[in-house]
Amino acid sequence: MQKTLFPFIILLAVFTGCDKVTQTEKNLAGEWQIVSYKHMDTEGLLEYAVVNGFIKFEPCTDASIACPYSISISYDFPSASGTTSENGTYEVIEKGKFMNIQKSNSSDPSAATYRCRILTETKTDLELEFSDVGGNIHTYIFNR
């Protein structure tokens, strides 16, 4: 009996892994408003910014190609302020827990591609985290 169930369990595990990426892509699609931006430097010091803006993920129609995104955020930390405005593509990977971001309008080639961790992802809440080339950790929280 166990020998006949084993192949079905393997198939279920394989299909469940693929479904997590597809489900994450579906949940990401659309526009998200930023509600929080946290920055942690290499020494562990945290700063929270006053933020305004959005990120928009276009729906993925073909799993074999990266999908478009755009982001426009203004932030005001106690130590610095500025804006982030970029376009590019994203690709959800590793069972929906990470995504690769490829900036299309970056002037710095070393910062044009980065890996983003998806900490929380539901239909209404999204939390993303990534490390920049200097080792600083950026955490964004978005809502619909």
Side-chain angles (χ1 to χ4, degrees):
M1 180 76 170
Q2 287 181 338
K3 288 182 181 180
T4 59
L5 287 177
F6 187 70
F8 293 112
I9 293 171
I10 299 266
L11 286 173
L12 181 63
V14 167
F15 287 124
T16 304
C18 296
D19 287 342
K20 289 179 183 177
V21 169
T22 303
Q23 186 62 41
T24 299
E25 289 172 346
K26 281 183 180 179
N27 285 345
L28 286 177
E31 187 170 310
W32 297 83
Q33 300 299 313
I34 191 161
V35 294
S36 176
Y37 177 13
K38 176 177 70 174
H39 171 265
M40 183 170 62
D41 68 14
T42 56
E43 295 177 0
L45 298 173
L46 290 173
E47 281 189 303
Y48 290 87
V50 175
V51 290
N52 186 23
F54 69 92
I55 190 167
K56 183 176 183 180
F57 296 101
E58 297 296 330
C60 287
T61 55
D62 184 353
S64 64
I65 60 170
C67 308
Y69 83 95
S70 60
I71 187 169
S72 178
I73 295 175
S74 61
Y75 55 89
D76 187 16
F77 285 105
S79 64
S81 61
T83 60
T84 298
S85 183
E86 62 189 48
N87 297 303
T89 58
Y90 72 98
E91 179 184 10
V92 177
I93 57 172
E94 294 187 29
K95 297 182 182 177
K97 297 181 187 284
F98 292 88
M99 72 172 105
N100 287 331
I101 302 286
Q102 176 72 41
K103 298 179 192 178
S104 62
N105 59 347
S106 175
S107 59
D108 179 6
S110 67
T113 303
Y114 55 95
R115 186 178 174 147
C116 186
R117 184 173 167 205
I118 303 170
L119 298 173
T120 303
E121 164 262 322
T122 68
K123 292 181 188 270
T124 59
D125 301 301
L126 178 63
E127 185 174 5
L128 304 175
E129 178 181 89
F130 73 94
S131 297
D132 62 22
V133 292
N136 300 302
I137 298 174
H138 304 267
T139 306
Y140 297 105
I141 298 176
F142 300 92
N143 285 15
R144 286 200 206 251

